[in-house]
Amino acid sequence: MTAAQNEQEPDYDLIVIGAGPVGENVADYAVKRGIRVAVVESELVGGECSYWACMPSKALLRSGHALRAAERLGGARQAIAGRLDASAVLARRDAFASDWKDDGQVEWLSSAGIDLIRGHARLTGPRTVDVGGRTYTARAVAVATGSVPVLPDIPGLRDVGPWGTREATSASSVPSRLLVVGGGVAGTELATAWASLGSAVTLVARDGLLEREEPFAGELVAQALAQIGVDVRIGASPTRVDRDQAGVVTTALDDGTTVVSEEILIATGRRPHTLDLGVETVGLTPGDWLRVDDTMLVSGTDWLYAVGDVNGRALLTHQGKYQARAAGEVIAARLTGTPVAAEPWGAHAATADHAAVPHVIFTDPEVARAGLTEAQARAQGIPVRVVEYELGWVAGAKLHADGYQGRAKLVVDEDRQVIVGATFVGQDVAELLHSATVAIVGEVPLPRLWHAVPSYPTIGEVWLRLLEEYGRP
Ligand SMILES: Cc1cc2nc3c(=O)[nH]c(=O)nc-3n(C[C@H](O)[C@H](O)[C@H](O)COP(=O)(O)OP(=O)(O)OC[C@H]3O[C@@H](n4cnc5c(N)ncnc54)[C@H](O)[C@@H]3O)c2cc1C
């Protein structure tokens, strides 16, 4: 392309870098508004979530959850004849990961009228993107390159071929012993999954489990992990890792003990996928999160957007796709000169990122939270009152499992009389979470919430119990 052509007509209105769930949605929402869109993908269309994160990890977890749910239920318990069939679970996981083939997703892109450019994209300056030596121009660029695991600097670690979350979600056999390093979401979920499949799992967590959640979440999950045989070691960190000739990994911990395993999974956090992306050509720093406003526009630019994991606002598929819906439409609106609704809670603003992010940790018990923890609310200066309730006292929960274990908590803004955070920990609480998200986003006043009557006998009746604990406003 010559410079003259470049000035006249860019190749696309919008180029999206990264065809993960977020990039796909940016492209979809933009193209539906009538602009010309291409996405660039260096690996598989569908991204981390489809092949190495959400889908395979939940498929690995689900069968164990179902088996334990049956074990907790008189009558069903007596019908259980054996253990999980690990090879059948792995085969089911393979199907959920589409056997790591993206044909279906590619077909969908094409049917949506979105061009796919295969290859590694790099920015080469404002509104220009290089893919494999060819330069493409666009009126706007959206970066949706996701995040990648951080590998801590532990002597010997790189040489032993540690598992990251990719290896832990795509492994084709069950290691007899597995060391999991990290007590966050990925560490606790994957420890649960592999222990359920028969691995002898040790989980090492320097700071405790699920530290960003309400304290009872980590406590209940630690108890449950121990019950399925996981050796949970809190307050310890690896100091050296070696693999011997027979393939056995020995990990020395700073408490003076060692752990011997076939594999070691590192689940200690993620960093933005912004290295080797050419961001330095537009004045940004490689390796940094791309900071954005609520329309996902990168600070200091009027053409560059960053959406999903890469902006660091919420490393969750559903929240990234929410940002993508806003970004795709606002990009099209700005390029076509149609009105922009970027005010808080407007169609083009991802306002919920600040106040009402929901997420589920698919451990057993599940941990489901929307909005803030008590600690986060207090740190924001919100005048807080909290109420808690044992889920095991709720009739619907008792029906779900004999000896149901779980807890729920609401964080209330006392001045505004609205809920700013809700946490549920227990079996099958994931499906309860959207009620909390709606209450938080809708800022439903507590006196009105009394009129939202939960059905009897469901786990949702905990809402009534929590309101009773709070007292009628
Ligand atoms: C083990 C695990 C389990 C998870 N489970 C859940 C869950 O249950 N629910 C949930 O909501 N979230 C979950 N997450 C988080 C979720 O996977 C991410 O939030 C989500 O994948 C982010 O989507 P994204 O499109 O921003 O990035 P990604 O899915 O990472 O996609 C980015 C895409 O960009 C491509 N790319 C990167 N750089 C370039 C480049 N320079 N040129 C071209 N292409 C490029 C990549 O190949 C990739 O396809 C999980 C994460 C992990 C690790």
Side-chain angles (χ1 to χ4, degrees):
M1 168 160 301
T2 66
Q5 279 173 318
N6 207 358
E7 272 169 31
Q8 285 163 12
E9 183 63 29
D11 296 309
Y12 291 98
D13 294 315
L14 170 65
I15 292 178
V16 181
I17 304 179
V22 173
E24 286 181 325
N25 273 270
V26 175
D28 188 30
Y29 274 72
V31 86
K32 279 182 185 148
R33 296 289 176 182
I35 67 170
R36 296 169 305 131
V37 182
V39 293
V40 190
E41 175 53 55
S42 57
E43 294 189 74
L44 294 177
V45 175
E48 208 70 15
C49 181
S50 302
Y51 308 102
W52 299 286
C54 327
M55 293 314 282
S57 65
K58 266 75 259 180
L60 287 174
L61 282 159
R62 182 64 202 149
S63 304
H65 281 20
L67 181 63
R68 282 186 298 275
E71 280 166 354
R72 293 183 197 119
L73 214 53
R77 184 182 313 125
Q78 290 77 358
I80 298 170
R83 300 166 64 84
L84 278 191
D85 179 339
S87 57
V89 175
L90 294 177
R92 186 167 182 269
R93 182 276 319 269
D94 293 354
F96 271 93
S98 308
D99 288 308
W100 293 274
K101 294 192 183 75
D102 65 1
D103 317 22
Q105 306 255 28
V106 171
E107 214 170 285
W108 170 79
L109 274 183
S110 159
S111 70
I114 300 160
D115 283 359
L116 171 62
I117 303 167
R118 294 266 192 195
H120 184 96
R122 278 182 201 83
L123 294 163
T124 51
R127 302 181 178 85
T128 56
V129 176
D130 173 278
V131 186
R134 177 163 173 199
T135 299
Y136 295 87
T137 56
R139 296 164 73 201
V141 175
V143 175
T145 52
S147 62
V148 288
V150 170
L151 200 58
D153 198 12
I154 302 167
L157 180 62
R158 278 166 204 276
D159 303 328
V160 305
W163 277 8
T165 46
R166 278 197 170 197
E167 290 75 14
T169 50
S170 61
S172 55
S173 61
V174 181
S176 51
R177 293 168 296 185
L178 173 67
L179 171 60
V180 177
V181 181
V185 179
T188 53
E189 283 191 353
L190 291 165
T192 305
W194 288 105
S196 307
L197 289 166
S199 239
V201 175
T202 304
L203 189 155
V204 171
R206 190 182 49 199
D207 303 320
L209 300 191
L210 303 177
E211 285 287 281
R212 292 179 193 169
E213 303 303 320
E214 296 291 359
F216 61 85
E219 287 160 21
L220 287 168
V221 169
Q223 282 168 24
L225 282 169
Q227 273 165 16
I228 60 169
V230 177
D231 178 2
V232 180
R233 304 199 193 173
I234 306 289
S237 295
T239 52
R240 166 140 212 110
V241 190
D242 294 286
R243 194 187 280 275
D244 69 14
Q245 298 270 325
V248 174
V249 177
T250 301
T251 304
L253 304 180
D254 59 1
D255 62 4
T257 62
T258 56
V259 179
V260 176
S261 60
E262 272 57 52
E263 302 295 347
I264 175 170
L265 161 61
I266 303 296
T268 50
R270 299 182 75 79
R271 62 172 174 79
H273 205 163
T274 54
L275 292 173
D276 201 16
L277 186 61
V279 291
E280 66 284 0
T281 67
V282 296
L284 301 167
T285 307
D288 280 2
W289 302 99
L290 298 182
R291 299 294 172 201
V292 294
D293 68 13
D294 278 358
T295 67
M296 305 299 119
L297 187 64
V298 173
S299 314
T301 77
D302 63 357
W303 60 275
L304 183 64
Y305 294 77
V307 198
D309 275 17
V310 76
N311 65 31
R313 285 163 70 110
L315 276 63
L316 294 159
T317 293
H318 49 268
Q319 209 66 20
K321 286 163 73 172
Y322 161 74
Q323 296 168 7
R325 295 190 283 273
E329 297 215 329
V330 82
I331 292 167
R334 285 181 176 139
L335 293 182
T336 56
T338 46
V340 168
E343 71 284 359
W345 305 112
H348 298 146
T351 312
D353 284 1
H354 306 296
V357 176
H359 69 275
V360 175
I361 303 166
F362 290 86
T363 43
D364 184 11
E366 292 163 343
V367 176
R369 171 160 66 89
L372 306 174
T373 61
E374 178 182 353
Q376 289 167 345
R378 290 194 190 284
Q380 290 187 17
I382 296 171
V384 157
R385 186 174 152 211
V386 300
V387 283
E388 297 192 30
Y389 198 79
E390 287 299 319
L391 271 165
W393 297 342
V394 176
K398 288 180 190 171
L399 281 166
H400 269 251
D402 302 337
Y404 190 104
Q405 294 279 316
R407 198 165 177 78
K409 178 170 179 173
L410 294 183
V411 182
V412 177
D413 178 333
E414 280 283 80
D415 278 358
R416 294 191 301 137
Q417 289 282 293
V418 295
I419 294 167
V420 293
T423 296
F424 308 96
V425 180
Q427 182 189 312
D428 301 327
V429 295
E431 300 299 338
L432 203 62
L433 186 61
H434 198 56
S435 51
T437 310
V438 171
I440 294 169
V441 170
E443 300 179 331
V444 183
L446 288 189
R448 176 58 71 90
L449 213 48
W450 276 86
H451 298 275
V453 183
S455 296
Y456 180 83
T458 61
I459 303 178
E461 233 198 342
V462 72
W463 276 102
L464 171 59
R465 303 292 167 231
L466 287 162
L467 290 178
E468 285 173 341
E469 285 292 305
Y470 186 84
R472 194 143 194 155

